[in-house]
Every structure is written in structure tokens, then in C-alpha cells.
Amino acid sequence: MANSSDIVLEIDGLSVDIRTAGGTLHAVRDISFSVKRGETLCLVGESGCGKSMTSLAIMDLLPKAATKSARRLAFAGEDLSRAGKSRINALRGNRMSMIFQEPMTALNPAYTIGNQLVEAYCLHKKASEAEARERAVFLLGKVGIANAAERLGQYPHQLSGGLRQRVMIAMALMCGPELLIADEPTTALDVTIQAQILRLLADLQQELGIAMVLITHDLGIVARIADRVAVMYAGQIVEEGPTTSLFNAPRHPYTQGLIECIPVPGRTEPGGRLGVIPGVVPSLVGEVRGCSFRDRCTKAQQACLDAPPVRETADGHRWRCILENAA
Amino acid sequence: MTALIEAHDLTRSFEVSRGMFKGKRTLHAVNGISLDIRQGEVLAIVGESGCGKSTLARMLLGLLPPSAGAITLEGQDIRSLGRKGMARRVQPVFQDPYSSLNPRRTIASIVALPLEVHGIGTAAERRKMTIEMLDKVGLPQRFADRYPRELSGGQRQRVAIARALVMKPEVVVCDEPTSALDVSVQSQILNLLMDLRRELNLTYVFISHNLAVVEHIATRVAVMYLGRVVELAETEALFKAPRHPYTKALLASVLTPEPGLGIPDTGLGIAFPDPLNPPSGCPFHPRCPERLPQCGSVVPQILRDENGAVACHLHGQAPAPH
């Protein structure tokens, strides 16, 4: 067992509320998880389930209309849930960093990639520009960019989508972070490039012992890269567990439904019917009661009107359902 | 199966400006494609972004004239059919149901518009046909007088499908119809497309980058690379025994939800080539793990045999045309 000092990120009871014209939207509702050194946790879920809001809350980058609360939001043992701006600024981009989905909008088009790569390093590490450039060249090489020194003088528009995403990864690694949050890092890319970028991320994460939170809607990515998986639905983590256990024996009806929805060669009959999850995601505006999946669940009962219990197996597989095993 | 649509040596180029003081350059988005679309099949067109699959789709719809080559529909050149004649028989479903529906029209009027344009029926008859069509795609009548903004992504895509089918076309060209949707919605739309195909005896051209979806839904697959079809085969044969190294790499990069398999190494270099400056010889040779000495200089001829077609030096030369 890993000892507690290995825990890089520990979240207990995180909620994010967003003020809207129609009332308060409970985007993230009381979620808890932790990530260890060298571990990859995937947050998976469909649009609007709160997975991106969770990552923005950790990085303290929430939009103005959103407020977060948490019993504990600890990075490397230090509770940041009530930390001030300056403390967050000292950590963000330094010991904790983030890769965004769309490298086209996350890079500044008016600065060379060299400028953008060295900025945080000079700031956080009090390094000279020459030292920072040296590290940038080293990291660009590491993420597989040829003639890295030359690339430093280029602008984002001169690079392809795959190269820009590699630059984003290099940038996130500049200060040697202990925590890396990657929000849909390959969604905008072609499948061939996606495989390469994920391989690269996984290799670097292993090599550098980074704790990684990878956010995606793609169960294929999850199965291949995650050590543990947390499935989000309507702002809650409805199931969490080791990857193999979660895919081979999903416990929550939503997870089971999601896995049934995707065509898998050999499992689904070509041209046959795919599984469906009937209905739509409930509104998270105002008070949300009971199991949020009950309206779409084929196994729903009267008892689902109350908050479902959290069940747990010995291997740390947890789910929120009135059923011991819905399969 | 008989060919419904035939494309003969189809080419489409665009003039691309390179900046204020530089001249224009020619981009060959589609570069000499010949293929047939057979009655009742689901022909998938796959490839990376920039390979020309959407340009090909727009030409097949008659929305974009080819620079060279021709398209025939049951032997008749589509130029002689005209825009309206074409629209009666070939209809599109686009990727983004948020931008492909007019936000200021009700669902019923969006679906009825093709009927109106073609002067089919009275207003009451059109309304009846529209309601029937909405019912077929799984939207109850109460949706008829709503606006697109009141609908979810999946419901909007159902509207787009209803609009495409209301003219009773023979061919539907679906350009990434599910890539903007969540997986639970994607499966609903794929099920619907398969049901409608059986019920209405439709032929689909299905453009997608999602190979798991393609394997599930297609009967034949055309793999495109830099404006060319590099391999064409029945779905089962293509997924079981891909012949072109590019097809192999594409299939290797599919991440199926099977834990423990890790992330595959595709063996491709990083860069998709600049379509404005395509490599000489076989356009795939700079990334190809199996390249031969002649690949950099000689464009491979397309070999057509009983298994389909492949354009690769590893698979022999086609006999010289007589």
C-alpha cells in the first residue's frame, strides 16, 4: 500500500455552484477523490456532468459566476480550499499544471511558442531566460518535436494541431509539476495523432512520477490509460474503481449503460442494435433530490427518491446505488 | 448490387492564398477518385482531417462541382439533373445539429421546407407528411411547433435526419453525423439510422473518423489519404486483413474499451503532410513503415481485384490500361 505522503491531490466534498438566471445550478455536487504519485485517474462522463468544472475548481480557474466549496482540497498535504490568490498563483503552472482541450485557443497567437514556454519557468523558478530556453528545447525534444531550438521562434499558427498539443504538454511540464490535469487533451485531434499523444503523456507521466487527472468522454481512452476511473453523472461521482474492475464488472446502471452504448468489435454484432440510455440528463438547477439517474434507470424503484447509499468492495470499487449489483 | 452513383476520376482543387505578397497555390482536395456507390449499401469514407472526405461528400451531393471528372446517378450525369433533381434523390445529414438547423424556424417548418421548395402537396398534406416523418425518427408530435434551441443535440440530429428523409431520397450522405454527440446519444442515432435504412431501403454514404462506429455500421469502407482513395474493401475484410499500410496504422490507433491493452504504437511519424505541398510518389511514403525504394518517386497505380482496391507498391501494379 502506498503511504499517505504519496497522495498528491486529495479532494473531499467539493461542490461547484453556478448562478444562472433560472436559479443556482449545482454543477458539481459533493465529490471526493484522491490521486497518488505516478497514478492516472480518469474522470469520465458526458457533456454537462461537471467533469470540466471539477478540473477548473482544482486549478482555481472557475468562471466568475461559479463558486466552489470543499471540506478539503489538498495538494501535497496542503489544504488549498481556503488559500489566497497568491498561494494558488505560486503553485499553478509550477507544481500543478493543466493541459487544455483546444490548443488553438489555449496558446496565445501573438507570442512565439518560445516566449510562452519560458514565461512560467522564469517566473516560478527565478531562472534566467537562457536557462528556461534550454529547458524548453529539452522538453520539446522529449515530446517528439524535431529541431526544437528552431521551433521556439515560431508562432502557434505555424504548427499543426498535433504539434500544438505537444507544445501544450511541454509547457505543462516546464516546471516539473507533481500534478497534471489534462482536460480532453486529444479530443480535437485525429485518431492516429491521438494515440501518439496519449502514449507520450503516459510515458512522461510514468517517467516523472506525476499524478495525473485525465478528463475525457471517451471510454476507449479511459480503458487504455487509467489506473482508476471515476464516472461522473449529473455533478456526482456515481462509480469509482480500478480500471479493470470497473470495465469488467461495472456496478452502477449508468456505467453499465455507457459501456453498452459503444460498438466494440467482437462484442457487438455488426449492424445490430447498440445499447441506449433512454431519456435526458436532469436539470441541476435548484434542489436535486434522490438518485439523479432514476428517471433514466431501468431498475429504478421507489427507494431511489432518497439519496442512494455508497457501496464499496474490498478492492476500492465504490458506487452509489440502492442495488448491490445492478447487472 | 448495382451501382447507384458512380464517380469517374473525380478531382477538385481550390486556389489557396498564401498571404499578401505570395502567389496563389493549388490545393488538390480530391485527386482522381473513381468509386461506385451500390444500391442498399453503407459505404463509409474514413481518413484524417484534411484528407478530402468532406469535399468528396459535397461533390456527391451536387453541392460542389468537380474541377474534373464526372458523377453519374444511375448512368445520368448529375449536372443534367440540376440542383433540385439531385436533391430529390440524394440528401445530406451534417455533423453539427446546432448550426445546420435554422434557429428561427419551428421544427415542423424545417422538416417541411424541402417539400415546399419542390412544390409537393398542399400545406395540410405537407404538415401530415412532416408529422409522420418526425414520428419515424422518434420525435412525438408535440415537438413540431418547437424551435431548435428547445431541443437537445440528439433531438436536433433527429430533426436533421427527418428533413433529409422527408423527400424520400435514395441516398443519404451522412458527414460525421454523430461526432458532436455524447456516446449515449450516438448509439440512439446509429440505431435510428440502421432502422430507417431497413425500413426505407436507403443507401448511405457514411463519413466518419470513428472506426469503431464504421466497423459497426458500414458494409464497405473507402480509406482516403491526401485526396486519394488508398484502399477500398468490404468492411469485414478491411478490418480483418487491411492491405494498405495506412489502413493498418489507422486500425492500430483505434482505442477499444479494453483495459490492460495499453496505448498502441501506430508507427507513423508525427506529421500529416501539408496538403498544399504533398510528398512526391506515394503521398503516404514519408510516414510509411513499410516503404520501398520506388515509393518516393512513383505514384502507385490502383489495383482493383475481387477484394476491392488498393493503391500501394506492396500490392503489385494494375495491368496497363488498354
Side-chain angles (χ1 to χ4, degrees):
Chain A
M1 274 321 273
N3 70 52
S4 62
S5 64
D6 269 353
I7 293 178
V8 176
L9 179 68
E10 187 191 353
I11 290 175
D12 182 22
L14 172 70
S15 294
V16 176
D17 289 340
I18 302 173
R19 291 186 304 278
T20 68
T24 303
L25 188 148
H26 304 286
V28 177
R29 300 186 291 138
D30 192 15
I31 67 167
S32 304
F33 63 84
S34 62
V35 194
K36 290 189 236 119
R37 234 179 91 75
E39 183 181 53
T40 299
L41 173 81
C42 275
L43 280 183
V44 63
E46 300 183 278
S47 332
C49 72
K51 55 192 193 302
S52 289
M53 280 296 156
T54 302
S55 67
L56 294 177
I58 298 166
M59 297 299 281
D60 201 31
L61 291 171
L62 285 169
K64 279 214 172 68
T67 48
K68 71 173 176 196
S69 65
R71 285 188 289 278
R72 187 170 158 83
L73 199 168
F75 169 72
E78 177 186 353
D79 192 356
L80 298 178
S81 60
R82 277 154 210 91
K85 276 268 170 267
S86 64
R87 184 62 194 139
I88 302 279
N89 284 342
L91 293 173
R92 190 175 50 207
N94 182 12
R95 292 174 61 196
M96 46 199 250
S97 61
M98 184 150 178
I99 300 168
F100 295 93
Q101 174 173 164
E102 192 30 271
M104 199 53 177
T105 48
L107 290 171
N108 189 330
Y111 290 90
T112 63
I113 65 160
N115 277 329
Q116 299 183 60
L117 278 162
V118 302
E119 187 187 4
Y121 193 76
C122 292
L123 182 77
H124 291 298
K125 304 291 182 200
K126 311 274 179 295
S128 71
E129 180 148 345
E131 286 165 339
R133 292 187 91 82
E134 197 179 311
R135 174 146 178 94
V137 169
F138 168 75
L139 279 171
L140 287 180
K142 204 129 187 100
V143 299
I145 294 181
N147 26 356
E150 215 171 285
R151 295 282 186 189
L152 289 182
Q154 291 189 320
Y155 290 87
H157 77 268
Q158 294 170 292
L159 308 177
S160 68
L163 279 179
R164 266 185 232 128
Q165 198 57 288
R166 282 163 195 261
V167 170
M168 285 292 296
I169 294 173
M171 196 180 292
L173 297 177
M174 272 300 278
C175 296
E178 290 142 74
L179 172 68
L180 181 62
I181 297 179
D183 188 357
E184 304 267 11
T186 57
T187 305
L189 305 173
D190 278 311
V191 283
T192 52
I193 313 289
Q194 165 173 292
Q196 291 169 27
I197 299 276
L198 289 175
R199 230 181 123 83
L200 174 71
L201 255 183
D203 288 349
L204 289 171
Q205 182 254 347
Q206 283 298 309
E207 186 187 326
L208 307 172
I210 300 170
M212 179 154 80
V213 178
L214 193 136
I215 293 161
T216 180
H217 67 280
D218 186 331
L219 290 170
I221 295 178
V222 176
R224 302 302 189 92
I225 204 170
D227 296 308
R228 278 188 311 122
V229 186
V231 181
M232 287 190 77
Y233 183 78
Q236 284 183 317
I237 293 177
V238 294
E239 181 161 5
E240 190 204 327
T243 307
T244 318
S245 165
L246 190 122
F247 275 89
N248 294 345
R251 303 293 192 124
H252 195 281
Y254 177 64
T255 315
Q256 292 169 353
L258 265 190
I259 293 174
E260 291 295 313
C261 282
I262 36 177
V264 181
R267 198 196 71 195
T268 45
E269 180 205 346
R273 292 191 74 77
L274 298 168
V276 294
I277 301 176
V280 291
V281 183
S283 162
L284 297 178
V285 175
E287 196 187 355
V288 187
R289 303 183 85 165
C291 172
S292 48
F293 188 61
R294 65 173 183 268
D295 290 341
R296 305 176 73 185
C297 183
T298 50
K299 294 162 185 113
Q301 310 170 6
Q302 191 64 32
C304 302
L305 291 168
D306 300 321
V310 177
R311 301 180 178 280
E312 184 164 7
T313 61
D315 64 347
H317 191 149
R318 277 192 291 272
W319 67 102
R320 269 171 202 272
C321 186
I322 57 157
L323 297 173
E324 187 69 45
N325 190 352
Chain B
M1 277 197 275
T2 50
L4 202 55
I5 295 183
E6 281 176 279
H8 306 278
D9 208 12
L10 215 52
T11 295
R12 174 69 209 200
S13 48
F14 296 100
E15 295 295 316
V16 180
S17 165
R18 288 181 304 153
M20 215 183 285
F21 303 108
K22 291 176 182 164
K24 291 199 165 165
R25 296 217 359 226
T26 307
L27 171 84
H28 294 282
V30 167
N31 203 346
I33 288 184
S34 295
L35 98 170
D36 57 332
I37 296 158
R38 301 167 186 170
Q39 165 65 43
E41 77 171 342
V42 180
L43 174 68
I45 299 175
V46 303
E48 292 169 277
S49 28
C51 74
K53 51 191 196 296
S54 290
T55 303
L56 176 63
R58 289 172 65 204
M59 288 195 283
L60 292 174
L61 283 160
L63 294 174
L64 184 74
S67 315
I71 300 170
T72 58
L73 181 59
E74 285 187 321
Q76 197 181 359
D77 194 313
I78 65 165
R79 276 170 294 199
S80 66
L81 283 171
R83 194 51 217 106
K84 270 188 170 180
M86 195 62 187
R88 280 182 175 244
R89 306 183 64 181
V90 186
Q91 278 284 327
V93 173
F94 294 110
Q95 172 174 359
D96 184 0
Y98 292 85
S99 60
S100 66
L101 304 179
N102 186 336
R104 302 175 65 136
R105 280 178 162 261
T106 63
I107 300 309
S109 88
I110 287 170
V111 175
L113 185 62
L115 297 171
E116 235 170 273
V117 170
H118 290 266
I120 295 170
T122 63
E125 284 164 350
R126 287 200 291 266
R127 173 87 185 174
K128 188 167 165 281
M129 288 161 85
T130 301
I131 302 291
E132 279 171 13
M133 200 63 239
L134 285 175
D135 182 55
K136 261 199 176 55
V137 300
L139 290 175
Q141 188 168 355
R142 63 190 152 88
F143 282 93
D145 298 307
R146 296 195 188 170
Y147 289 88
R149 65 164 179 275
E150 299 172 65
L151 273 55
S152 70
Q155 289 166 341
R156 288 177 207 221
Q157 203 57 304
R158 287 173 192 269
V159 173
I161 292 169
R163 174 179 59 185
L165 297 183
V166 75
M167 291 297 293
K168 303 196 165 46
E170 294 147 71
V171 183
V172 182
V173 179
C174 308
D175 191 351
E176 303 269 11
T178 61
S179 37
L181 306 175
D182 274 319
V183 283
S184 71
V185 183
Q186 167 175 287
S187 68
Q188 294 173 21
I189 297 295
L190 292 175
N191 284 345
L192 173 68
L193 286 170
M194 295 307 273
D195 290 345
L196 291 167
R197 175 187 170 225
R198 272 186 289 270
E199 192 181 333
L200 306 172
N201 194 21
L202 295 167
T203 302
Y204 289 146
V205 177
F206 194 92
I207 293 169
S208 181
H209 68 277
N210 186 331
L211 289 154
V213 167
V214 165
E215 182 169 12
H216 181 72
I217 200 170
T219 55
R220 243 177 5 134
V221 183
V223 181
M224 281 185 71
Y225 192 78
L226 276 185
R228 292 183 168 92
V229 171
V230 295
E231 183 164 2
L232 179 74
E234 301 285 333
T235 306
E236 204 187 331
L238 186 109
F239 279 85
K240 246 188 205 140
R243 292 197 281 175
H244 198 286
Y246 179 60
T247 312
K248 290 180 197 167
L250 268 188
L251 296 185
S253 56
V254 179
L255 303 177
T256 51
E258 298 167 277
L261 291 185
I263 299 154
D265 185 1
T266 60
L268 295 176
I270 50 170
F272 187 77
D274 179 5
L276 272 174
N277 192 11
S280 59
C282 170
F284 184 59
H285 85 266
R287 301 171 83 191
C288 183
E290 299 176 61
R291 70 175 159 265
L292 303 168
Q294 67 267 40
C295 295
S297 50
V298 185
V299 179
Q301 292 298 306
I302 197 151
L303 169 77
R304 292 179 195 277
D305 57 20
E306 67 280 8
N307 300 321
V310 60
C312 176
H313 288 302
L314 292 170
H315 295 279
Q317 292 290 342
H322 4 263

